[in-house]
Amino acid sequence: MCGIVGYVGQDDAWPIIYEGLKRLEYRGYDSAGIAVVDDTGALHFRKTVGKVSGLDASILGAAPRGSLGLGHTRWATHGAPSHANAHPHTDCSSRVALVHNGIVENYLELKRRLTASGHVFQSETDTEALSHLVEEGLSLGLSFEEAFLRMGRMVKGSSAITATLQGEDGPICALRLGYAGGIVVAHHEGQGIVASDLPALLPVLEHGSGTPSVGFLEGGEMAVVSRDGVRYFDLDGNAIVKQPRRVSRDDVLVDKGGYRHFMLKEIMDQPQAMTAALRDRADFANGRVELPGFPLPPSAIGALERVVLIGCGTSLHAAQVGRHYIERLAGIPAEAESASEFRYRDPLIGPRTLVVSIGQSGETADTVAAMHLAREKGATLLTICNAEESQAARIADGALYMRAGLEVGVASTKTFISSLTILHLLAIYLGHARGRLDDAATRRLVDELSRGPGLISDLLGEADSYRDLAYRIGHYGNFLFLGRGASAAIAAEGALKLKEISYIHAEGYPAGEMKHGPIALIDPGMCTVALAPNDVLRDKTLSNIKEVKARHGVVVAVLTDGDDEAASEVDYPLFIPEAPELLQPILTTVPLQLLSYHIALMLGCDVDQPRNLAKSVTVE
Ligand code: AGP
């Protein structure tokens, strides 16, 4: 959460930082700000409440010019989105510009002490204490780097912090504390850039040749970035050597590909996302699954006693589907739990437990903390994540990457499909290794998976038809999503999608639970979305649909092509192609994504950047 960009070089810093912030806006968009050091060495601050576009030079009038600066796009934690609370923050003498992503857990204590010694605060943020701490270090006679490092040693909690100083040479100092909030540092042809994520590097890449080498800061590491290069230190000030990595243009490209929104592009990308997740893993010719990256040898798989799947939000829903896959195909007791609950329990896991963390970003604070807990307890740790340079990838014993490409829309779509695909592969792999699935059964399942991308494409061919339905039902103020078995998790995901991008109240419920309470809500003003594809539970869900209709509720149902009997019971039938049962969770997801998208669009909501949310939730 929050995006940071810092630049030092020969070019005008403002447009590079502005472009970088636009590319990081998915991390938060409550307010934004840029500070630039001009040619005389003076610092200039500009801030806006709301999106980064408020910093567009054409809106602001003349933007300050200089070749050193930093910027921030904020997801508010301490203090409302306001001009005063927007970053960069400064000190009493406006010498320091500092931006921050994370939470300073001891900020009240720091603020009290600094206030008592005469520092005057301008904002309600936890961050401002950090700029005053740097100022305090400077007034003790420390160099900027020393003062920055001293500040870092005084801060509790997980944070990414970047600062610069008045005077034309900078440098930019960047620090990562704990495991929240990534920092990537690049140096390329006399230009240094610091950012929360790779897409912010594009404005520098575009003006240079070749690809830069980048360093990813670990917790407890600091980078000092100047025109001459980058130096790395630990928190004790000892120089450290980091292995630079090359990044390609593809790693940094963010492009809507002609679609109106990233979310729609990412929905339409799902056949390719599923294909990429299957590549080199599903051996269609030989009917086998190979999982390079799986952390246990086949001989150890038989000894596994439990699989625990953890994640948050959409990734939790993927975990819930994965639980069904693993119990069904691998025959291993499996459970799915919110990482934010798991981390605060004392879960009974040990060396014979496989913990699978799921996450698009690999940076979700609760998921990362839950992984640390699993590590302490000696479990084998596998992560399914999209971001290959993420915390999750570094902590886990093994990683199965989604390979979905960058997902920019705050509402996760294609990475959900990637997660389900990999969980399906994992279940087949474990089932075969444990002898529960013989070669023939494995071949059949792999053949079934091969149909997935084509079946999604068929569904997407009808994508525009959801607009009409959105106009018919988008005015309902309440939605109940129902499903049984794996479809209960898809119902929860459908409700999450709708509420996060359209702000309509929506609940996802196991259909069998409806009669234990939610049925009291059914009336003509409640729209129920029921998932009743052709599976063993279809008849049960159909009974629930009839119960809703008997109480004059409106029903949209996701059914299998040709199910005229069920279609005749509901107001708005939606169809998925006939498909193997274990592919159905993937297919029933797509109509729900498209429906949410079109409802949000119809209501005039900001589909890609819904209010109050951020793409990666790096605070607890
Ligand atoms: C999904 O649409 C949400 N934006 C959110 O629930 C998300 O899935 C959650 O924050 C977890 O993120 P992760 O997959 O990056 O861990």
Side-chain angles (χ1 to χ4, degrees), residues 30-32 47-50 74 76 78-87 89 122-125:
D30 288 330
S31 65
K47 299 181 181 182
T48 185
V49 177
R74 179 173 186 239
H78 295 58
S82 69
H83 199 272
N85 291 333
H87 301 213
H89 288 286
Q122 310 288 340
S123 77
E124 304 155 278
T125 63

Side-chain angles (χ1 to χ4, degrees), residues 434-453:
R434 287 168 75 93
R436 184 177 168 98
L437 298 174
D438 61 17
D439 288 348
T442 302
R443 176 179 288 277
R444 182 181 51 75
L445 288 161
V446 170
D447 284 350
E448 287 178 3
L449 267 173
S450 72
R451 295 180 56 203

Side-chain angles (χ1 to χ4, degrees), residues 264-325:
L264 184 58
K265 174 184 184 283
E266 287 155 6
I267 291 172
M268 301 307 275
D269 276 350
Q270 291 179 130
Q272 292 85 332
M274 184 167 185
T275 304
L278 291 171
R279 197 182 60 231
D280 307 331
R281 294 170 179 154
D283 176 351
F284 298 120
N286 297 303
R288 295 163 51 88
V289 171
E290 300 289 345
L291 288 186
F294 186 77
L296 290 173
S299 55
I301 292 174
L304 284 176
E305 288 172 349
R306 263 168 86 210
V307 178
V308 177
L309 302 119
I310 53 173
C312 295
T314 291
S315 295
L316 171 62
H317 300 147
Q320 289 163 347
V321 177
R323 174 195 173 189
H324 284 270
Y325 287 154

Side-chain angles (χ1 to χ4, degrees), residues 43-188:
L43 258 174
H44 300 268
F45 294 83
R46 298 284 188 277
K47 299 181 181 182
T48 185
V49 177
K51 295 195 171 194
V52 174
S53 55
L55 296 172
D56 189 322
S58 61
I59 294 174
L60 275 181
R65 292 188 67 113
S67 53
L68 165 66
L70 45 83
H72 185 267
T73 180
R74 179 173 186 239
W75 187 82
T77 59
H78 295 58
S82 69
H83 199 272
N85 291 333
H87 301 213
H89 288 286
T90 192
D91 57 309
C92 297
S93 48
S94 301
R95 277 187 290 173
V96 175
L98 183 144
V99 293
H100 168 228
N101 166 23
I103 290 178
V104 181
E105 290 175 4
N106 56 336
Y107 89 100
L108 277 176
E109 178 194 325
L110 293 170
K111 188 170 178 175
R112 258 184 238 122
R113 185 181 67 68
L114 287 159
T115 306
S117 63
H119 289 259
V120 179
F121 281 69
Q122 310 288 340
S123 77
E124 304 155 278
T125 63
D126 52 343
T127 305
E128 195 185 342
L130 308 182
S131 41
H132 288 276
L133 281 178
V134 176
E135 178 184 36
E136 188 180 62
L138 292 171
S139 61
L140 291 171
L142 301 178
S143 69
F144 175 53
E145 292 167 37
E146 290 164 344
F148 185 81
L149 203 52
R150 172 180 176 271
M151 171 276 296
R153 285 195 291 261
M154 296 172 118
V155 170
K156 292 198 181 129
S158 291
S159 286
I161 307 162
T162 300
T164 195
L165 187 69
Q166 67 178 19
E168 51 195 291
D169 291 329
I172 295 173
C173 290
L175 176 66
R176 183 176 194 177
L177 295 170
Y179 42 79
I183 287 272
V184 54
V185 181
H187 201 270
H188 190 55

Side-chain angles (χ1 to χ4, degrees), residues 446-463:
V446 170
D447 284 350
E448 287 178 3
L449 267 173
S450 72
R451 295 180 56 203
L455 291 169
I456 302 174
S457 294
D458 292 348
L459 268 172
L460 293 174
E462 309 287 320

